């Protein structure tokens, strides 16, 4: 958030003292089609007696933003280039989350392999099987070096 000062010239001084973070590098390839991820997640949830998640466009956009950022920087992280966390990215995309979680990964070639990696990781599996979540968004973006960066955002407004 940027503060606006009413003193003439103060805006220029503010920009000199507090420069905006550098934007991420040039764009990478468009998000990959990962339509079977929702079915895979909901199958795991059903096997564990949990209700299915609903795909949410706002959460998809938060995931796309983060996967694109990771692919541009070629780094797998939960922190955005601007210091944001998943909750901030979710809110910036118009979703008012009461609770949220995020899974990220890099290098898996397809939905099956990234889901296998997440389900074999206690923390990632806990997010996928968290009964508090009702909605989901996801993305996979390929970096210029061919590495695929995955983001799954889980949340609930209730």
């Amino acid at each position: 958030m940027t503060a606006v000062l009413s003193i003439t010239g103060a805006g220029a001084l503010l920009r000199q003292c507090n420069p905006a973070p550098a934007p991420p590098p040039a764009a990478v390839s468009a998000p990959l089609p990962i339509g079977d991820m929702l079915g895979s997640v909901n199958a795991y949830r059903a096997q564990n007696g949990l209700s299915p998640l609903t795909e949410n466009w706002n959460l998809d956009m938060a995931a796309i933003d983060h996967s694109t950022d990771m692919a541009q920087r070629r780094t797998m992280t939960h922190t955005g280039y601007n210091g944001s966390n998943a909750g901030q990215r979710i809110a910036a995309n118009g979703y008012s989350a009461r609770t949220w979680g995020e899974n990220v990964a890099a290098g898996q070639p397809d939905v099956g392999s990234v889901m296998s990696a997440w389900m074999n990781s206690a923390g990632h599996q806990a997010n996928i099987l968290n009964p508090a979540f009702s909605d989901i968004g996801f993305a996979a973006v390929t970096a210029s070096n061919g590495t695929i960066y995955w983001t799954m955002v889980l949340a609930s407004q209730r």
Side-chain angles (χ1 to χ4, degrees):
M1 180 180 286
T2 303
V4 178
L5 301 177
S6 62
I7 303 170
T8 305
L13 179 60
L14 180 62
R15 282 189 298 277
Q16 289 173 1
C17 295
N18 190 14
V28 294
S29 71
L32 301 171
I34 53 174
D36 54 341
M37 179 147 322
L38 180 62
S40 183
V41 167
N42 283 335
Y44 280 115
R45 288 177 63 87
Q47 291 169 8
N48 289 275
L50 298 170
S51 59
L53 299 176
T54 302
E55 188 171 2
N56 180 280
W57 184 84
N58 300 85
L59 297 180
D60 281 339
M61 294 309 299
I64 289 168
D65 289 349
H66 193 54
S67 282
T68 300
D69 176 41
M70 290 191 299
Q72 289 171 336
R73 294 188 296 143
R74 293 187 190 171
T75 186
M76 185 182 71
T77 178
H78 288 284
T79 304
Y81 80 93
N82 60 358
S84 64
N85 64 36
Q88 292 164 326
R89 291 187 294 273
I90 290 166
N93 280 284
Y95 187 99
S96 179
R98 181 177 174 118
T99 185
W100 56 266
E102 177 181 72
N103 288 351
V104 296
Q108 292 81 2
D110 54 44
V111 170
S113 59
V114 76
M115 285 300 299
S116 178
W118 282 335
M119 291 307 290
N120 286 300
S121 162
H124 295 101
Q125 183 184 68
N127 276 344
I128 292 168
L129 299 180
N130 187 331
F133 297 139
S134 59
D135 299 316
I136 189 171
F138 31 78
V141 175
T142 305
S144 58
N145 67 355
T147 302
I148 300 173
Y149 290 86
W150 301 86
T151 303
M152 174 186 288
V153 180
L154 307 110
S156 181
Q157 294 177 323
R158 50 184 157 109

